[in-house]
Amino acid sequence: MLNIPEKLDLFDKVVNTSFCIFEKRNFLNREQYIELQKTFPDLSYFTKVEDKGKKLSFDNKHQNFFRFLDENKAWLDFYKIINSKKTFMKFYNLLRDEFDKIEERKKLKKINYIDYDYESGIFTKVKKKIYSIFYSNVRIGFQFSLIGNNCFIPPHSDTVNKLLSLMIYFPDQTENGDNQYINLGTNFYIKNDNSDEIFDGWDSKLLSKEDTKKFYENYNILYKSPFESNKLVGFIKNNQSWHDVSPFMSL
C-alpha cells in the first residue's frame, strides 16, 4: 500500500514558491521498503551512463528493465502498483489545481492512461495514435538511478513532456548507515532576486559545465530534500523547476 495523503497540505513537507515540491515520509510500509532495498538491482543492470555527471540508470523503455522485474517479485509487485491508472489518477486529481496554474498544462485533454508495456505491438501503437486526437495520452516512466562516488546530476528542469516527478531514496546500508548521506539530497533552485539572468527550463536538458557555472551565479537553493530512507519526494514540472544532485563523496 502507498501512503498518499488525500490533500496536498497533509504531506509532511510542501514548498510551493516557483513550483510545487512535496514530501511524504514512510511512503511504504516498513516491510515492503526493506524488501525493495534488499533486492535493489545490482550494478550489472545499469547500462546507461550520463555524459554529464556519470549517473547510472536503466528504465522501462528497455527490455533490461522487464528482465529485472521477471527476476524480482517484490519490485514487480511494486511496479504494478505504481504503473496503474488508479495510482496515477490519485496523484493527478490531488495536484490538479497545481497543474492548472501552468499555462502549457491547460491544454490537457481528457486523460487516457497507458499501461506501459515495452513489447507493445503495432496495433497498440496505432490505437494510441488515434486516442491522442481526442485524449492526452499519459504513461508512467520508471527509472532506477545510481549515484556513485564523485558523481552528480547537473541542473535541469526535466523534459517538456513530463507532468510530475516522484522519487524514492534507497541509501546504501552496507557501509556507514544513513549518516554518510546527511549532506546529500536533491537541491531545488530559485532565481536570485537581484539577477537579470533567467534560464528558461520548459524544454530542459542537463546544463553544460559553462552554463552550470552561470546558473549557480544566478540561482540559489530554494529547498534541499535530504537523502532519507522510505521517503517520497515529488515535484511538478514547469519552466522554473530547476534541480540537481551535488557530487557524492563517500566517507
Side-chain angles (χ1 to χ4, degrees):
M1 292 292 292
L2 306 180
N3 186 6
I4 306 174
E6 294 298 321
K7 297 180 180 180
L8 183 60
D9 58 8
L10 295 179
F11 279 79
D12 295 311
K13 181 75 176 183
V14 178
V15 179
N16 207 343
T17 306
S18 53
F19 59 103
C20 182
I21 308 163
F22 51 92
E23 293 182 349
K24 185 70 188 79
R25 292 187 292 274
N26 299 315
F27 180 62
L28 305 174
N29 69 58
R30 177 176 169 77
E31 292 74 19
Q32 182 183 19
Y33 179 82
I34 290 174
E35 185 61 27
L36 292 176
Q37 187 174 50
K38 283 169 49 180
T39 56
F40 194 84
D42 63 46
L43 194 59
S44 65
Y45 287 97
F46 291 83
T47 54
K48 182 179 179 181
V49 183
E50 291 289 348
D51 291 335
K52 303 169 184 174
K54 303 303 180 184
K55 181 190 84 169
L56 304 178
S57 68
F58 69 102
D59 59 38
N60 65 339
K61 291 182 181 178
H62 302 96
Q63 192 172 19
N64 191 42
F65 177 90
F66 294 96
R67 179 170 65 87
F68 171 75
L69 294 188
D70 286 342
E71 298 168 355
N72 294 272
K73 185 178 185 304
W75 279 102
L76 174 61
D77 292 343
F78 178 62
Y79 179 70
K80 287 179 177 178
I81 293 171
I82 294 294
N83 184 33
S84 68
K85 183 175 181 179
K86 178 181 179 181
T87 298
F88 170 78
M89 292 307 299
K90 186 155 190 178
F91 277 106
Y92 182 73
N93 291 327
L94 178 70
L95 299 165
R96 185 57 193 265
D97 289 345
E98 298 302 320
F99 289 127
D100 287 343
K101 295 176 183 178
I102 304 170
E103 188 62 35
E104 292 82 357
R105 298 311 184 205
K106 293 178 181 178
K107 302 173 185 177
L108 285 173
K109 306 169 190 174
K110 187 175 180 180
I111 296 297
N112 173 46
Y113 182 79
I114 300 170
D115 187 354
Y116 189 74
D117 181 358
Y118 170 75
E119 298 180 343
S120 295
I122 187 67
F123 174 74
T124 301
K125 293 176 182 178
V126 170
K127 185 171 71 172
K128 283 189 258 184
K129 199 73 174 176
I130 295 173
Y131 267 71
S132 68
I133 300 173
F134 307 101
Y135 299 90
S136 291
N137 288 327
V138 297
R139 70 172 184 86
I140 295 293
F142 196 112
Q143 181 185 88
F144 289 98
S145 297
L146 194 62
I147 306 293
N149 198 31
N150 295 318
C151 297
F152 61 95
I153 303 176
H156 63 291
S157 65
D158 285 350
T159 59
V160 66
N161 62 344
K162 186 178 286 190
L163 289 174
L164 171 69
S165 293
L166 302 173
M167 300 175 287
I168 304 176
Y169 298 139
F170 289 90
D172 187 354
Q173 296 298 300
T174 63
E175 298 188 19
N176 301 322
D178 282 350
N179 288 337
Q180 67 171 322
Y181 305 110
I182 194 167
N183 294 318
L184 291 180
T186 303
N187 307 310
F188 297 96
Y189 289 86
I190 190 169
K191 187 179 73 68
N192 297 342
D193 290 337
N194 59 351
S195 172
D196 294 326
E197 185 76 35
I198 299 176
F199 283 75
D200 185 356
W202 184 247
D203 192 5
S204 170
K205 297 179 181 179
L206 297 176
L207 292 185
S208 66
K209 187 175 181 179
E210 180 181 339
D211 284 340
T212 293
K213 182 177 182 298
K214 186 184 296 184
F215 177 86
Y216 290 147
E217 291 171 351
N218 291 276
Y219 282 70
N220 290 326
I221 292 179
L222 168 67
Y223 176 66
K224 185 184 195 77
S225 175
F227 193 43
E228 299 168 335
S229 298
N230 199 8
K231 179 178 71 176
L232 176 77
V233 184
F235 65 93
I236 293 177
K237 187 266 185 302
N238 68 10
N239 64 348
Q240 302 177 76
S241 53
W242 289 99
H243 57 288
D244 72 2
V245 175
S246 303
F248 169 63
M249 303 294 291
S250 64
L251 299 177

